[in-house]
Amino acid sequence: MTESRERHEVRIRVTGTHDGSQDLEDLQRWLQRESWLTPGNHRWRRVPGAGTAAPHAADQGPEMAVGVDDLVLVLIGAVAAPMTEQLLIALREWLAHRRETAAPGEEPALDLTDAAGHRRLDDPDPRTERDDQGGRVGTE
């Protein structure tokens, strides 16, 4: 019997900050600290943004993430689906931390595209995650 090498991609974009490229690097380092993200079950890619920035009013500047790359986490193997829940918790933790350190005029947010579709992670508090599956809840 062959081992499953199913791939699951999660595209992550940081929006609302002055330096989205640096934020992506910081986010990648943040996620690499996670124990569930072990060598062999993932890889990283940086790809040009898909141009999904929200339209802006005439008196506002363009979305601060225009032209910024997306970070793509490719999860490999049969454990990809359960790892997505851990990823969402870690992303919410990073977002809460990033919002605490935001400069004036920044409104950090994360846009995700995965098998479930495109969505914005607006919840800054990782403690709102339910821990029914034994997952880690941020309590720092």
Side-chain angles (χ1 to χ4, degrees):
M1 182 172 273
T2 60
E3 179 183 331
S4 172
R5 297 301 291 167
E6 182 178 337
R7 293 169 36 108
H8 180 77
E9 292 189 2
V10 180
R11 182 181 285 239
I12 306 164
R13 175 178 296 169
V14 178
T15 63
T17 66
H18 298 307
D19 191 353
S21 183
Q22 180 63 50
D23 283 321
L24 279 182
E25 290 173 21
D26 293 344
L27 176 58
Q28 185 174 349
R29 281 193 301 275
W30 179 279
L31 292 173
Q32 286 172 331
R33 303 177 323 165
E34 297 292 327
S35 61
W36 50 266
L37 201 57
T38 59
N41 71 356
H42 74 285
R43 63 184 171 95
W44 299 100
R45 290 190 301 133
R46 294 278 293 261
V47 296
T52 58
H56 57 277
D59 62 340
Q60 296 177 326
E63 168 63 46
M64 286 188 265
V66 171
V68 172
D69 288 348
D70 291 349
L71 179 64
V72 178
L73 173 60
V74 181
L75 300 171
I76 302 167
V79 297
M83 287 175 61
T84 302
E85 288 304 314
Q86 294 297 325
L87 175 63
L88 289 174
I89 292 168
L91 289 173
R92 285 189 173 107
E93 289 173 346
W94 180 86
L95 183 56
H97 171 76
R98 183 62 183 85
R99 285 179 173 170
E100 289 174 4
T101 62
E106 289 187 319
E107 295 181 20
L110 288 173
D111 287 338
L112 290 174
T113 305
D114 63 6
H118 179 82
R119 63 187 178 274
R120 178 164 283 217
L121 264 167
D122 288 324
D123 183 2
D125 187 353
R127 292 170 290 198
T128 62
E129 284 293 323
R130 295 179 49 115
D131 194 19
D132 295 342
Q133 305 300 317
R136 174 169 59 85
V137 175
T139 56
E140 300 174 351

